[in-house]
Amino acid sequence: MSLQLRFFATFREAVGNKTISREYDANTVGDVIVALESEFEGLEGQILEDGAIRPQVNVLLNGSDVEHMEGLDTPIEPDDTFSIFPPVAGGCSGGRP
């Protein structure tokens, strides 16, 4: 099935593009993530940890967080859009006391 995949920050660097289209023989979000981690060396072990989405990683399916759906078991449909965000850290650069 054809899917649109969008990557942000370090995940974009690992894939080499912000957006890619892929055909996967997949039925769930988990199937797609396993395929992505296998396809892109820089993603291996970066999205999944111990059979779950790593803490601080956000995976959206058509704009909805899969953790608020069925997690890795969330079913997918042709032409769905995934957005995958790595952990983000940051804060004030010292401009305020």
Side-chain angles (χ1 to χ4, degrees), residues 14-66:
V15 172
N17 286 301
K18 180 177 181 174
T19 304
I20 61 172
S21 297
R22 285 290 189 275
E23 291 282 335
Y24 288 111
D25 182 23
N27 296 309
T28 66
V29 166
D31 294 339
V32 173
I33 293 173
V34 167
L36 284 169
E37 284 194 337
S38 295
E39 180 178 355
F40 296 99
E41 184 178 312
L43 293 181
E44 186 176 356
Q46 299 301 306
I47 303 171
L48 297 177
E49 178 179 77
D50 298 326
I53 296 172
R54 291 179 63 127
Q56 311 296 316
V57 171
N58 292 301
V59 177
L60 307 181
L61 179 64
N62 301 320
S64 297
D65 190 332
V66 299

Side-chain angles (χ1 to χ4, degrees), residues 4-8 58-61 63 81-85:
Q4 297 294 314
L5 301 127
R6 300 180 333 168
F7 302 92
F8 297 86
N58 292 301
V59 177
L60 307 181
L61 179 64
T81 299
F82 280 74
S83 300
I84 305 175
F85 298 84

Side-chain angles (χ1 to χ4, degrees), residues 68-87:
H68 299 292
M69 299 166 83
E70 295 177 47
L72 294 176
D73 294 326
T74 303
I76 58 172
E77 299 290 331
D79 299 318
D80 277 349
T81 299
F82 280 74
S83 300
I84 305 175
F85 298 84

